Structure formats: structure tokens, C-alpha cells
Amino acid sequence: MNGAAVRLTPLTARLLVRLVAADGEAVTARRLYRDVWQQTVELPRQELRNRNEVQKRILELRRAFDLAGPGHGARIIRTGQLPSGRGTQSTYQLNLAEDELDSAEFTHLVGEALRAAPASAVRLLADALRLWRGRPLTEVHDEEFALVPVRRLVQLRETARRELVGGHTALGRYDLALPVAEQTARERPGDLEAAAVLARVNARLRERHGAELLRHTLRGLRVDVVVVRGDLFDQTDANLVVGFSDTFDTSADDVVISRESVQGQLVERLFAGRHRLLDDKLRRGLGEFTPLATESVRAKRRGRRVRYPIGTVVAVPVGRRRVFALAYSRLGNDLRARSGPADLRLSLERLWPAVARHGLFKPVAIPLIGMGLSRIVELDRTQLLLLIVETFTQSLGQDPAVSPELRIVIRADDLGRTDLSVVETFLRGADERGPASPPATVS
């Protein structure tokens, strides 16, 4: 009482549970004695003795309830009289408010939830299911008088769980619906409906993820690392990273730049094929940097001739987002792009501060840089992916607000030769090390 446990004798505890099972109905002393003491044979002149036994236990219960305050016992356990062919019989009735009895509160909450809108229903059902602590009336659940209330409460629990799954689903919270559906299916292995509900929730989760292959939220940060299958230019909610050579050429003529390259697609898909428009924006951004050298017309007959340092990053505005043009390769005078692991690492290490400075705290999407014509043959796809993740997580040690999401976009053709489990293992280790720790070396 008042938050403190009260110890009852076994018979008195059974009597209380019997009154709870009556669900607010009055029960005669004769019936209480028969059910609680499990009398099978009634001897002559024993009825008075039986009634006295019941009254003794009722008195014990009232005294226990009185610990919550004087008069509580008489209020909670009411005494009545019931005329019968054998004279007037004493009756006893449990008179508890809904919030004083778990089963009544549970029933009330579920009833309210069935009439509520999804958000309110989810709250009410979650509150109701928190009251469930194992099988109801467990002390007497196999006895005849308990069969109906136990069956009703068990069925109501199944209704509550089914409606909770439906409420979470209606709100688009399939991640919250999943554990409820899993628990129901686990507890009812032969129930086809429970299995079907679980299958539907899993299907919705897969649909929600769509092309998403991996998602990891870095511990202690509002930052996700995500790997998706698809097209870089379909990531319309994100800033984009596009690799360039040190001359920042833009003309996709299949001589200097391939039309199929990411640079070529950038011109076609975000600048409607007008490479001079991209040139103008790059030129304005490059005004902040000091060129390394300028090639002569004789030495480099095609393309742009001004060279910039490896790791130069230009934030190109495109609508309300940015394209980060990253120089990570050198375009030789023979028009072949060349790069290596050290160049790529340096470029990525310089990329992330630029994203933090100019990215407006939007998600940033990046392809598997190094897979194209830059020919970084020393690293396979998994190592390239890991290098991107590694340098990004390292940058969070200097500035945890680089971007809310690093999204690495992998083409379907590259997926079969990329081991995402290695990346997942690295990210779990990053959680242990913390973002400020030095990353592992990719070789």
C-alpha cells in the first residue's frame, strides 16, 4: 500500500484474486468458500464455520487496504446481503477505481485507444501494454471462475498489440511496429495472421529503405553514414561531390572528358549540357586559389591549361545546394588522368572542411571516387569506400557539424565487388574509438 508491498496469507491472496475475477460483481460467502478453499463436500452444520473463515479473510484484506488510509478497507470491499431460498446470504464486492486495479485500467486504456486517432491510440496502447506483467490472475488462471476474465484479458491484449502495430504503421513508424509484431509472432508461432502482420511490417521497412544498403548513426553525434545503390544525380536532397582533374576541365567531348564520366553527367544533367555555365562558376570559385602552373599551348593542345593543387575544392552553387568540385587527379598533357591513394586521401581530407564551411549542413552525396578514368588501381572498391568513410569520420573530430549525413552512392554494377561488412565493422569501431581518434590506414 502507498507503494509498499503487503504480504498476505496464501488463502487471503486467493480470496482477493477471486474478487478481482468477479469483475466488480458481488460474490456470496458460500461461493467464495467453495472456490477459494475448493470445498468438494459440504458437511452438516458447517456453513456457519465456512462463513466465519471467509469473514476472517475479508477482515485481513480490509486491514491491508486500511494501510493506505483509514476507511479504505470498508470502501474497497463492500458487504451486501442476498436473499435466497436458504435464507439471507452475505456477499462481498471489490469496489476499486480503474486506476486502482491494473486489469480495469488496462481495459479502459485499450477501449479509449480503439476510439482515438493513431497518435493518441499509440500512446494509450503503449501505456496499457506496460501494465501487462505476465499471464493475468496467474494464481488461479486454470480454475473455472477465472477462465472467462482471463480469456477476455488475453484477447484484449492481442487486440491492443494488433492495434499498436496498426497505429505505428499509420504514422509511418515501421521501426516501432516491428518489435511488437515480432513479439506477437514469437508468442503465437502457429498464428497465420500474426505471421502475415510481421511480413507486412518487414515489407514496409524494406520499401522505406528503398535503395539504402547500410545506415549507421555515429554514437554521440547527429550524423549518419549511409550507403545507397543508385545514381549520384538522383540524390536531389543532398549536396554532391564530383571528382575533377587539376585543370578543372568541363568539356565532355569524349577526348578531354568522357560523356559517361561523372563530370560529363554533371554538365549534362545539372547544367543542361552548357559546360561554359559550369566553367564560369568554377572560375569564380577558383579565384580564391593560387595556380601551380600554366601549360603552354604547344605542351597541352586540348582542354584548360591552368593547373591547381591536388585537393583544391570549389563549392559550385546549384539552386539551393552545392556541387563540390574536387581535384584529386592530374590530367597529363596526353589527356590521361592519373591519381593514387595518397592523392585521394589528401583530397578527401581537404574536402570535408569545405563541406562544413559551404554545405549549409545538408546531406552530402559522393560516388566511389577513384573508380573512373583516374585509374587508382592500387585500391579496390571496398578500399575506396572505406577511405571515404574513414576520412569523413576523422574530420568529425575537428568539426562534428560537417554534414548530418554522408551518403555514398554505389552503382549497381559495382555492388557485387564491394564488401559492405568491412565498412560496417569500421563504423562500429569508430563508435568505440570516438571521432577524434586517428583512423585505421587503408593500404
Side-chain angles (χ1 to χ4, degrees):
M1 296 298 161
N2 290 331
V6 176
R7 186 178 298 278
L8 299 174
T9 61
L11 276 175
T12 304
R14 281 175 57 83
L15 179 64
L16 176 59
V17 175
R18 176 63 183 89
L19 290 173
V20 170
D23 199 20
E25 296 293 325
V27 187
T28 65
R30 181 182 296 118
R31 183 59 183 263
L32 286 173
Y33 188 85
R34 188 180 68 186
D35 289 345
V36 174
W37 277 259
Q38 297 182 323
Q39 180 190 29
T40 57
V41 178
E42 188 172 332
L43 301 175
R45 297 182 297 276
Q46 192 175 348
E47 184 172 348
L48 178 59
R49 186 182 303 168
N50 295 350
R51 188 166 62 247
N52 289 339
E53 282 291 324
V54 172
Q55 289 172 346
K56 188 194 311 182
R57 305 300 173 178
I58 291 293
L59 181 60
E60 184 183 344
L61 277 178
R62 282 176 172 158
R63 285 173 177 166
F65 286 123
D66 278 339
L67 294 176
H72 276 62
R75 174 186 67 82
I76 293 173
I77 301 180
R78 292 179 176 177
T79 302
Q81 299 293 322
L82 178 67
S84 71
R86 302 173 63 177
T88 301
Q89 297 186 58
S90 296
T91 63
Y92 299 97
Q93 178 185 16
L94 201 62
N95 178 41
L96 287 169
E98 288 174 347
D99 60 352
E100 293 178 310
L101 183 63
D102 283 355
S103 60
E105 186 178 4
F106 173 78
T107 301
H108 171 73
L109 288 170
V110 175
E112 288 291 308
L114 294 176
R115 297 184 290 272
S120 298
V122 163
R123 175 182 57 80
L124 291 165
L125 292 166
D127 288 345
L129 289 168
R130 273 193 289 271
L131 296 171
W132 197 272
R133 300 181 182 88
R135 190 164 185 176
L137 307 180
T138 183
E139 301 90 342
V140 295
H141 67 267
D142 286 329
E143 298 188 23
E144 182 180 354
F145 66 81
L147 294 179
V148 171
V150 168
R151 187 184 306 118
R152 178 180 61 80
L153 288 169
V154 169
Q155 290 175 347
L156 196 58
R157 183 199 187 201
E158 298 309 318
T159 298
R161 293 202 296 194
R162 183 174 62 250
E163 292 296 321
L164 183 57
V165 170
H168 284 315
T169 300
L171 296 171
R173 296 304 308 271
Y174 305 112
D175 53 331
L176 298 180
L178 181 62
V180 183
E182 286 178 332
Q183 183 182 9
T184 302
R186 187 166 54 250
E187 292 179 6
R188 301 168 60 185
D191 191 320
L192 296 180
E193 181 183 356
V197 169
L198 177 58
R200 286 196 295 271
V201 172
N202 277 318
R204 290 292 183 90
L205 276 169
R206 286 192 295 272
E207 290 171 6
R208 187 186 69 172
H209 289 305
E212 189 175 295
L213 303 169
L214 181 151
R215 176 176 290 272
H216 182 95
T217 301
L218 292 167
R219 185 180 300 168
L221 299 171
R222 291 189 301 115
V223 178
D224 289 340
V225 175
V226 185
V227 179
V228 301
R229 175 183 56 244
D231 186 324
L232 177 70
F233 296 98
D234 288 339
Q235 315 306 311
T236 55
D237 63 326
N239 296 320
L240 306 182
V241 177
V242 176
F244 277 78
S245 69
D246 59 341
T247 54
F248 286 92
D249 281 284
T250 61
S251 178
D253 56 2
D254 283 335
V255 177
V256 179
I257 297 175
S258 167
R259 290 185 174 88
E260 295 181 358
S261 68
V262 178
Q263 291 166 264
Q265 293 178 61
L266 169 65
V267 172
E268 186 63 33
R269 296 178 65 174
L270 295 191
F271 291 90
R274 296 179 295 172
H275 73 89
R276 295 189 185 282
L277 179 58
L278 175 57
D279 272 338
D280 290 341
K281 293 190 175 189
L282 284 171
R283 191 175 294 110
R284 286 196 291 271
L286 287 168
E288 300 179 11
F289 300 93
T290 302
L292 280 180
T294 301
E295 300 287 350
S296 67
V297 175
R298 178 179 297 177
K300 189 172 186 290
R301 296 183 177 277
R302 302 288 295 268
R304 301 179 66 176
R305 299 180 177 87
V306 179
R307 297 188 180 278
Y308 290 87
I310 293 295
T312 299
V313 184
V314 180
V316 177
V318 180
R320 295 184 177 181
R321 56 187 179 142
R322 301 288 183 269
V323 173
F324 290 93
L326 173 65
Y328 75 101
S329 66
R330 294 176 179 83
L331 186 66
N333 291 344
D334 59 358
L335 303 183
R336 287 184 59 187
R338 295 172 176 86
S339 187
D343 290 333
L344 181 56
R345 177 180 287 279
L346 174 64
S347 301
L348 290 169
E349 288 173 346
R350 293 183 176 176
L351 167 67
W352 306 124
V355 171
R357 189 164 57 252
H358 301 293
L360 309 174
F361 203 60
K362 290 178 179 287
V364 57
I366 183 171
L368 274 185
I369 282 186
M371 278 302 305
L373 296 178
S374 58
R375 299 175 175 87
I376 302 181
V377 296
E378 298 93 335
L379 302 180
D380 61 24
R381 290 163 176 79
T382 301
Q383 290 171 314
L384 290 170
L385 174 56
L386 191 57
L387 185 57
I388 294 169
V389 173
E390 186 182 296
T391 54
F392 176 78
T393 56
Q394 183 183 24
S395 74
L396 299 176
Q398 285 72 49
D399 186 350
V402 173
S403 170
E405 179 182 304
L406 168 64
R407 188 182 308 165
I408 304 160
V409 185
I410 300 181
R411 298 182 309 171
D413 292 346
D414 293 325
L415 186 57
R417 289 173 283 180
T418 308
D419 186 356
L420 297 185
S421 66
V422 174
V423 179
E424 192 171 26
T425 299
F426 173 82
L427 289 169
R428 287 199 302 269
D431 281 339
E432 297 297 328
R433 294 187 300 271
S437 301
T441 301
V442 176
S443 58

